[in-house]
Amino acid sequence: MTFDKVEDCYLNAEQKKMICPNCRVSIYESFTQSKLGICGSINRREKYFWSVLKQECPSCEGPIVYVSHTPVDEQGVHGEPKHFLVFPRHSSRLPAPLEVPPAIATDYNEAGLVLEISAQASAALSRRCLQHLLDDTGLSKNSNLNRAIEEAMGKNLPSHITENLDAVRAIGNFAAHTQKSVNTGEILPVEPHEAEWNLEVLDMLFDFCYVQPAKNAARRAALNAKQKEAGKQPIK
Ligand SMILES: [Zn+2]
Protein backbone atom coordinates (compact mmCIF):
# COMPACT_ATOMS: atom_id res chain seq x y z
CA MET A 1 0.00 0.00 0.00
CA THR A 2 1.41 3.36 -0.95
CA PHE A 3 0.52 6.78 0.36
CA ASP A 4 2.91 8.81 -1.76
CA LYS A 5 -0.04 10.18 -3.65
CA VAL A 6 -1.49 11.65 -0.47
CA GLU A 7 1.18 14.28 -0.43
CA ASP A 8 0.50 15.16 -4.07
CA CYS A 9 -3.14 15.76 -3.22
CA TYR A 10 -2.45 18.51 -0.72
CA LEU A 11 0.86 20.15 -1.48
CA ASN A 12 0.37 21.67 -4.88
CA ALA A 13 3.53 22.83 -6.61
CA GLU A 14 1.93 25.83 -8.27
CA GLN A 15 1.00 28.04 -5.36
CA LYS A 16 -2.71 28.66 -5.02
CA LYS A 17 -4.13 31.77 -3.43
CA MET A 18 -6.48 31.55 -0.49
CA ILE A 19 -8.16 33.91 1.96
CA CYS A 20 -6.73 33.73 5.49
CA PRO A 21 -9.63 32.64 7.73
CA ASN A 22 -8.17 34.79 10.54
CA CYS A 23 -7.72 38.16 8.82
CA ARG A 24 -9.34 37.71 5.35
CA VAL A 25 -6.18 38.87 3.59
CA SER A 26 -5.36 37.04 0.34
CA ILE A 27 -2.28 34.83 0.87
CA TYR A 28 -0.49 31.96 -0.90
CA GLU A 29 -1.07 28.41 0.31
CA SER A 30 2.07 26.94 1.86
CA PHE A 31 0.75 24.16 4.08
CA THR A 32 3.00 21.62 5.69
CA GLN A 33 1.48 18.20 6.20
CA SER A 34 1.77 15.82 9.13
CA LYS A 35 0.49 12.37 8.23
CA LEU A 36 -1.59 10.64 10.88
CA GLY A 37 -2.34 7.43 8.96
CA ILE A 38 -5.45 5.27 8.77
CA CYS A 39 -7.77 5.20 11.77
CA GLY A 40 -10.68 2.76 11.92
CA SER A 41 -13.45 2.75 9.34
CA ILE A 42 -16.68 4.69 9.03
CA ASN A 43 -19.82 2.48 9.09
CA ARG A 44 -17.36 -0.46 9.15
CA ARG A 45 -16.78 0.16 5.45
CA GLU A 46 -14.97 3.32 4.40
CA LYS A 47 -11.39 3.79 5.49
CA TYR A 48 -9.60 7.11 5.30
CA PHE A 49 -6.04 8.31 5.42
CA TRP A 50 -5.85 11.22 7.87
CA SER A 51 -3.48 14.21 7.93
CA VAL A 52 -3.08 17.57 9.57
CA LEU A 53 -2.24 20.59 7.39
CA LYS A 54 -0.88 23.71 9.01
CA GLN A 55 0.34 27.11 7.91
CA GLU A 56 1.09 30.46 9.53
CA CYS A 57 -0.54 33.45 7.84
CA PRO A 58 2.25 35.74 6.56
CA SER A 59 -0.01 38.73 7.09
CA CYS A 60 -1.49 38.30 10.60
CA GLU A 61 0.75 35.42 11.82
CA GLY A 62 -2.41 33.53 12.80
CA PRO A 63 -2.37 29.74 12.64
CA ILE A 64 -4.46 28.03 9.96
CA VAL A 65 -4.98 24.32 10.68
CA TYR A 66 -6.96 21.76 8.69
CA VAL A 67 -7.64 18.10 9.30
CA SER A 68 -7.83 16.18 6.02
CA HIS A 69 -9.01 12.75 5.05
CA THR A 70 -8.75 10.89 1.79
CA PRO A 71 -10.59 7.61 0.95
CA VAL A 72 -8.25 4.63 0.93
CA ASP A 73 -8.49 0.94 -0.04
CA GLU A 74 -6.06 -1.95 -0.69
CA GLN A 75 -4.79 -0.17 -3.82
CA GLY A 76 -3.92 3.02 -1.90
CA VAL A 77 -5.61 6.40 -1.68
CA HIS A 78 -8.28 7.29 -4.22
CA GLY A 79 -10.66 10.17 -4.64
CA GLU A 80 -10.40 13.75 -3.51
CA PRO A 81 -9.26 14.70 -0.01
CA LYS A 82 -11.72 16.58 2.18
CA HIS A 83 -10.47 19.34 4.48
CA PHE A 84 -12.03 20.54 7.72
CA LEU A 85 -10.88 23.81 9.19
CA VAL A 86 -10.15 23.20 12.88
CA PHE A 87 -8.44 26.53 13.60
CA PRO A 88 -9.49 29.32 13.63
CA ARG A 89 -12.66 27.81 15.00
CA HIS A 90 -15.46 29.16 12.88
CA SER A 91 -17.58 27.95 10.05
CA SER A 92 -16.57 27.56 6.44
CA ARG A 93 -17.85 31.13 6.09
CA LEU A 94 -15.35 33.94 6.46
CA PRO A 95 -15.43 36.02 9.63
CA ALA A 96 -17.02 39.48 9.53
CA PRO A 97 -14.78 42.15 7.94
CA LEU A 98 -12.55 44.07 10.35
CA GLU A 99 -14.48 47.30 9.66
CA VAL A 100 -17.60 45.87 11.36
CA PRO A 101 -18.03 46.94 15.04
CA PRO A 102 -16.93 44.10 17.38
CA ALA A 103 -20.32 43.42 19.03
CA ILE A 104 -21.99 43.03 15.62
CA ALA A 105 -19.11 40.96 14.24
CA THR A 106 -19.26 38.57 17.22
CA ASP A 107 -22.94 37.72 16.64
CA TYR A 108 -22.31 37.23 12.93
CA ASN A 109 -19.28 34.99 13.49
CA GLU A 110 -21.13 32.89 16.07
CA ALA A 111 -24.15 32.60 13.77
CA GLY A 112 -21.79 31.18 11.12
CA LEU A 113 -20.13 28.89 13.63
CA VAL A 114 -23.36 27.20 14.77
CA LEU A 115 -25.01 27.12 11.33
CA GLU A 116 -24.11 23.48 10.66
CA ILE A 117 -25.23 22.36 14.13
CA SER A 118 -28.41 24.39 14.55
CA ALA A 119 -30.06 26.53 11.89
CA GLN A 120 -32.47 27.87 14.51
CA ALA A 121 -29.72 29.05 16.83
CA SER A 122 -27.84 30.56 13.88
CA ALA A 123 -30.94 32.43 12.68
CA ALA A 124 -31.61 33.76 16.19
CA LEU A 125 -28.07 35.16 16.33
CA SER A 126 -28.16 36.58 12.81
CA ARG A 127 -31.53 38.28 13.46
CA ARG A 128 -30.09 39.88 16.59
CA CYS A 129 -27.03 40.89 14.57
CA LEU A 130 -29.24 42.45 11.88
CA GLN A 131 -31.27 44.39 14.44
CA HIS A 132 -28.06 45.67 16.04
CA LEU A 133 -26.70 46.71 12.62
CA LEU A 134 -29.88 48.57 11.64
CA ASP A 135 -29.70 50.42 14.96
CA ASP A 136 -25.96 51.14 14.74
CA THR A 137 -26.15 52.51 11.20
CA GLY A 138 -29.24 54.61 11.95
CA LEU A 139 -31.32 52.68 9.38
CA SER A 140 -33.89 51.96 12.10
CA LYS A 141 -34.03 52.22 15.87
CA ASN A 142 -37.24 50.16 16.04
CA SER A 143 -36.96 47.31 18.55
CA ASN A 144 -39.27 45.11 16.49
CA LEU A 145 -37.19 43.55 13.73
CA ASN A 146 -40.12 43.22 11.35
CA ARG A 147 -40.81 46.96 11.60
CA ALA A 148 -37.10 47.82 11.70
CA ILE A 149 -36.61 46.06 8.35
CA GLU A 150 -39.66 47.85 6.96
CA GLU A 151 -38.20 51.20 8.00
CA ALA A 152 -34.74 50.34 6.64
CA MET A 153 -36.31 49.37 3.30
CA GLY A 154 -37.65 52.93 3.03
CA LYS A 155 -34.15 54.38 3.37
CA ASN A 156 -31.53 54.91 0.69
CA LEU A 157 -30.30 51.34 0.32
CA PRO A 158 -29.36 49.80 -3.05
CA SER A 159 -32.38 48.02 -4.52
CA HIS A 160 -30.78 44.55 -4.37
CA ILE A 161 -30.23 44.93 -0.61
CA THR A 162 -33.79 46.17 -0.10
CA GLU A 163 -35.18 43.13 -1.92
CA ASN A 164 -32.97 40.73 -0.01
CA LEU A 165 -33.89 42.29 3.33
CA ASP A 166 -37.53 41.79 2.45
CA ALA A 167 -36.74 38.11 1.84
CA VAL A 168 -35.33 37.88 5.40
CA ARG A 169 -38.74 38.91 6.70
CA ALA A 170 -40.59 36.56 4.35
CA ILE A 171 -38.34 33.63 5.28
CA GLY A 172 -38.72 34.29 8.99
CA ASN A 173 -42.48 34.64 8.48
CA PHE A 174 -42.16 37.57 10.85
CA ALA A 175 -45.69 38.76 10.25
CA ALA A 176 -46.99 35.59 11.92
CA HIS A 177 -45.00 36.14 15.11
CA THR A 178 -45.57 38.45 18.00
CA GLN A 179 -43.40 41.48 18.60
CA LYS A 180 -41.55 39.59 21.32
CA SER A 181 -40.55 36.64 19.19
CA VAL A 182 -38.75 38.60 16.50
CA ASN A 183 -36.68 40.85 18.67
CA THR A 184 -35.41 38.78 21.56
CA GLY A 185 -33.34 36.21 19.72
CA GLU A 186 -36.08 33.65 20.38
CA ILE A 187 -35.70 30.33 18.60
CA LEU A 188 -38.08 30.07 15.63
CA PRO A 189 -38.34 27.10 13.26
CA VAL A 190 -36.11 27.70 10.23
CA GLU A 191 -34.44 25.66 7.46
CA PRO A 192 -30.62 25.67 7.11
CA HIS A 193 -30.73 27.52 3.77
CA GLU A 194 -32.99 30.14 5.36
CA ALA A 195 -30.53 30.68 8.21
CA GLU A 196 -27.75 30.98 5.64
CA TRP A 197 -29.71 33.61 3.74
CA ASN A 198 -29.67 35.88 6.80
CA LEU A 199 -25.87 35.67 6.77
CA GLU A 200 -25.73 36.44 3.04
CA VAL A 201 -27.80 39.57 3.57
CA LEU A 202 -25.61 40.60 6.50
CA ASP A 203 -22.57 40.19 4.21
CA MET A 204 -24.12 42.66 1.76
CA LEU A 205 -24.99 45.10 4.54
CA PHE A 206 -21.49 44.87 6.04
CA ASP A 207 -20.01 45.77 2.69
CA PHE A 208 -22.40 48.64 2.05
CA CYS A 209 -22.54 50.10 5.59
CA TYR A 210 -18.99 49.57 6.86
CA VAL A 211 -16.44 48.31 4.31
CA GLN A 212 -17.12 50.66 1.39
CA PRO A 213 -17.39 53.83 3.55
CA ALA A 214 -14.08 52.92 5.26
CA LYS A 215 -12.40 52.38 1.88
CA ASN A 216 -13.83 55.64 0.63
CA ALA A 217 -12.57 57.52 3.72
CA ALA A 218 -9.08 56.04 3.17
CA ARG A 219 -9.14 57.11 -0.50
CA ARG A 220 -10.17 60.67 0.42
CA ALA A 221 -7.53 60.87 3.15
CA ALA A 222 -4.90 59.84 0.59
CA LEU A 223 -6.21 62.43 -1.88
CA ASN A 224 -6.13 65.19 0.73
CA ALA A 225 -2.61 64.23 1.80
CA LYS A 226 -1.56 64.83 -1.82
CA GLN A 227 -3.53 68.11 -1.94
CA LYS A 228 -1.66 69.22 1.17
CA GLU A 229 1.70 68.24 -0.35
CA ALA A 230 0.81 70.32 -3.39
CA GLY A 231 0.00 73.27 -1.10
CA LYS A 232 -3.74 73.12 -1.89
CA GLN A 233 -6.84 73.14 0.31
CA PRO A 234 -8.27 69.75 1.30
CA ILE A 235 -11.39 68.62 -0.59
CA LYS A 236 -14.42 68.51 1.68
ZN1 LIG B 1 -4.15 36.21 8.39
PDB file of all heavy atoms in Angstrom, residues 131 134-144 148 151 155:
ATOM      1  N   GLN A 131     -30.604  43.331  13.684  1.00  0.00           N
ATOM      2  CA  GLN A 131     -31.265  44.391  14.444  1.00  0.00           C
ATOM      3  C   GLN A 131     -30.236  45.399  14.984  1.00  0.00           C
ATOM      4  O   GLN A 131     -30.422  46.604  14.902  1.00  0.00           O
ATOM      5  CB  GLN A 131     -32.035  43.773  15.599  1.00  0.00           C
ATOM      6  CG  GLN A 131     -32.838  44.806  16.379  1.00  0.00           C
ATOM      7  CD  GLN A 131     -34.153  44.240  16.854  1.00  0.00           C
ATOM      8  OE1 GLN A 131     -34.227  43.054  17.164  1.00  0.00           O
ATOM      9  NE2 GLN A 131     -35.171  45.046  16.887  1.00  0.00           N
ATOM     10  N   LEU A 134     -28.918  47.539  12.079  1.00  0.00           N
ATOM     11  CA  LEU A 134     -29.875  48.573  11.642  1.00  0.00           C
ATOM     12  C   LEU A 134     -29.878  49.731  12.628  1.00  0.00           C
ATOM     13  O   LEU A 134     -29.950  50.894  12.240  1.00  0.00           O
ATOM     14  CB  LEU A 134     -31.284  47.969  11.506  1.00  0.00           C
ATOM     15  CG  LEU A 134     -31.452  46.888  10.421  1.00  0.00           C
ATOM     16  CD1 LEU A 134     -32.871  46.337  10.434  1.00  0.00           C
ATOM     17  CD2 LEU A 134     -31.090  47.408   9.040  1.00  0.00           C
ATOM     18  N   ASP A 135     -29.750  49.392  13.919  1.00  0.00           N
ATOM     19  CA  ASP A 135     -29.705  50.419  14.960  1.00  0.00           C
ATOM     20  C   ASP A 135     -28.395  51.224  14.868  1.00  0.00           C
ATOM     21  O   ASP A 135     -28.399  52.448  14.852  1.00  0.00           O
ATOM     22  CB  ASP A 135     -29.827  49.723  16.326  1.00  0.00           C
ATOM     23  CG  ASP A 135     -29.802  50.726  17.464  1.00  0.00           C
ATOM     24  OD1 ASP A 135     -28.699  51.049  17.954  1.00  0.00           O
ATOM     25  OD2 ASP A 135     -30.876  51.191  17.845  1.00  0.00           O
ATOM     26  N   ASP A 136     -27.282  50.511  14.752  1.00  0.00           N
ATOM     27  CA  ASP A 136     -25.961  51.142  14.740  1.00  0.00           C
ATOM     28  C   ASP A 136     -25.783  52.089  13.554  1.00  0.00           C
ATOM     29  O   ASP A 136     -25.131  53.123  13.660  1.00  0.00           O
ATOM     30  CB  ASP A 136     -24.884  50.042  14.721  1.00  0.00           C
ATOM     31  CG  ASP A 136     -23.478  50.613  14.774  1.00  0.00           C
ATOM     32  OD1 ASP A 136     -23.164  51.267  15.787  1.00  0.00           O
ATOM     33  OD2 ASP A 136     -22.711  50.438  13.806  1.00  0.00           O
ATOM     34  N   THR A 137     -26.351  51.707  12.413  1.00  0.00           N
ATOM     35  CA  THR A 137     -26.151  52.510  11.205  1.00  0.00           C
ATOM     36  C   THR A 137     -27.238  53.580  11.054  1.00  0.00           C
ATOM     37  O   THR A 137     -27.222  54.341  10.086  1.00  0.00           O
ATOM     38  CB  THR A 137     -26.188  51.605   9.949  1.00  0.00           C
ATOM     39  OG1 THR A 137     -27.409  50.853   9.982  1.00  0.00           O
ATOM     40  CG2 THR A 137     -25.017  50.650   9.919  1.00  0.00           C
ATOM     41  N   GLY A 138     -28.184  53.613  12.007  1.00  0.00           N
ATOM     42  CA  GLY A 138     -29.244  54.611  11.945  1.00  0.00           C
ATOM     43  C   GLY A 138     -30.320  54.280  10.920  1.00  0.00           C
ATOM     44  O   GLY A 138     -31.179  55.103  10.626  1.00  0.00           O
ATOM     45  N   LEU A 139     -30.292  53.056  10.365  1.00  0.00           N
ATOM     46  CA  LEU A 139     -31.318  52.684   9.382  1.00  0.00           C
ATOM     47  C   LEU A 139     -32.670  52.508  10.062  1.00  0.00           C
ATOM     48  O   LEU A 139     -33.710  52.793   9.484  1.00  0.00           O
ATOM     49  CB  LEU A 139     -30.911  51.394   8.647  1.00  0.00           C
ATOM     50  CG  LEU A 139     -29.818  51.575   7.593  1.00  0.00           C
ATOM     51  CD1 LEU A 139     -29.226  50.245   7.178  1.00  0.00           C
ATOM     52  CD2 LEU A 139     -30.367  52.309   6.358  1.00  0.00           C
ATOM     53  N   SER A 140     -32.657  52.019  11.301  1.00  0.00           N
ATOM     54  CA  SER A 140     -33.894  51.961  12.098  1.00  0.00           C
ATOM     55  C   SER A 140     -33.559  51.685  13.558  1.00  0.00           C
ATOM     56  O   SER A 140     -32.741  50.826  13.868  1.00  0.00           O
ATOM     57  CB  SER A 140     -34.822  50.861  11.595  1.00  0.00           C
ATOM     58  OG  SER A 140     -35.903  50.714  12.507  1.00  0.00           O
ATOM     59  N   LYS A 141     -34.219  52.428  14.426  1.00  0.00           N
ATOM     60  CA  LYS A 141     -34.031  52.216  15.874  1.00  0.00           C
ATOM     61  C   LYS A 141     -35.166  51.365  16.432  1.00  0.00           C
ATOM     62  O   LYS A 141     -35.234  51.144  17.639  1.00  0.00           O
ATOM     63  CB  LYS A 141     -34.012  53.569  16.615  1.00  0.00           C
ATOM     64  CG  LYS A 141     -32.905  54.505  16.155  1.00  0.00           C
ATOM     65  CD  LYS A 141     -31.590  54.181  16.838  1.00  0.00           C
ATOM     66  CE  LYS A 141     -30.472  55.088  16.347  1.00  0.00           C
ATOM     67  NZ  LYS A 141     -29.137  54.562  16.691  1.00  0.00           N
ATOM     68  N   ASN A 142     -36.069  50.916  15.567  1.00  0.00           N
ATOM     69  CA  ASN A 142     -37.239  50.163  16.037  1.00  0.00           C
ATOM     70  C   ASN A 142     -36.811  48.841  16.677  1.00  0.00           C
ATOM     71  O   ASN A 142     -35.971  48.127  16.137  1.00  0.00           O
ATOM     72  CB  ASN A 142     -38.180  49.886  14.856  1.00  0.00           C
ATOM     73  CG  ASN A 142     -39.596  49.610  15.323  1.00  0.00           C
ATOM     74  OD1 ASN A 142     -39.809  48.782  16.206  1.00  0.00           O
ATOM     75  ND2 ASN A 142     -40.546  50.319  14.761  1.00  0.00           N
ATOM     76  N   SER A 143     -37.387  48.518  17.841  1.00  0.00           N
ATOM     77  CA  SER A 143     -36.959  47.306  18.554  1.00  0.00           C
ATOM     78  C   SER A 143     -37.674  46.061  18.029  1.00  0.00           C
ATOM     79  O   SER A 143     -37.380  44.953  18.448  1.00  0.00           O
ATOM     80  CB  SER A 143     -37.220  47.460  20.054  1.00  0.00           C
ATOM     81  OG  SER A 143     -38.607  47.624  20.262  1.00  0.00           O
ATOM     82  N   ASN A 144     -38.626  46.255  17.125  1.00  0.00           N
ATOM     83  CA  ASN A 144     -39.273  45.107  16.487  1.00  0.00           C
ATOM     84  C   ASN A 144     -38.597  44.902  15.126  1.00  0.00           C
ATOM     85  O   ASN A 144     -38.625  45.794  14.271  1.00  0.00           O
ATOM     86  CB  ASN A 144     -40.768  45.401  16.312  1.00  0.00           C
ATOM     87  CG  ASN A 144     -41.481  44.285  15.562  1.00  0.00           C
ATOM     88  OD1 ASN A 144     -41.236  44.078  14.377  1.00  0.00           O
ATOM     89  ND2 ASN A 144     -42.351  43.575  16.254  1.00  0.00           N
ATOM     90  N   ALA A 148     -38.418  47.215  11.954  1.00  0.00           N
ATOM     91  CA  ALA A 148     -37.101  47.816  11.699  1.00  0.00           C
ATOM     92  C   ALA A 148     -36.689  47.576  10.249  1.00  0.00           C
ATOM     93  O   ALA A 148     -36.175  48.480   9.578  1.00  0.00           O
ATOM     94  CB  ALA A 148     -36.064  47.233  12.655  1.00  0.00           C
ATOM     95  N   GLU A 151     -38.729  49.833   7.992  1.00  0.00           N
ATOM     96  CA  GLU A 151     -38.198  51.202   8.005  1.00  0.00           C
ATOM     97  C   GLU A 151     -36.926  51.308   7.183  1.00  0.00           C
ATOM     98  O   GLU A 151     -36.737  52.234   6.400  1.00  0.00           O
ATOM     99  CB  GLU A 151     -37.907  51.635   9.447  1.00  0.00           C
ATOM    100  CG  GLU A 151     -39.135  52.133  10.176  1.00  0.00           C
ATOM    101  CD  GLU A 151     -38.818  52.581  11.602  1.00  0.00           C
ATOM    102  OE1 GLU A 151     -37.661  53.009  11.866  1.00  0.00           O
ATOM    103  OE2 GLU A 151     -39.729  52.476  12.435  1.00  0.00           O
ATOM    104  N   LYS A 155     -35.319  53.489   3.399  1.00  0.00           N
ATOM    105  CA  LYS A 155     -34.148  54.376   3.371  1.00  0.00           C
ATOM    106  C   LYS A 155     -33.383  54.196   2.060  1.00  0.00           C
ATOM    107  O   LYS A 155     -33.735  53.368   1.238  1.00  0.00           O
ATOM    108  CB  LYS A 155     -33.227  54.068   4.561  1.00  0.00           C
ATOM    109  CG  LYS A 155     -33.889  54.207   5.929  1.00  0.00           C
ATOM    110  CD  LYS A 155     -33.901  55.657   6.377  1.00  0.00           C
ATOM    111  CE  LYS A 155     -34.745  55.864   7.633  1.00  0.00           C
ATOM    112  NZ  LYS A 155     -34.149  55.336   8.850  1.00  0.00           N
TER     113      LYS A 155
END
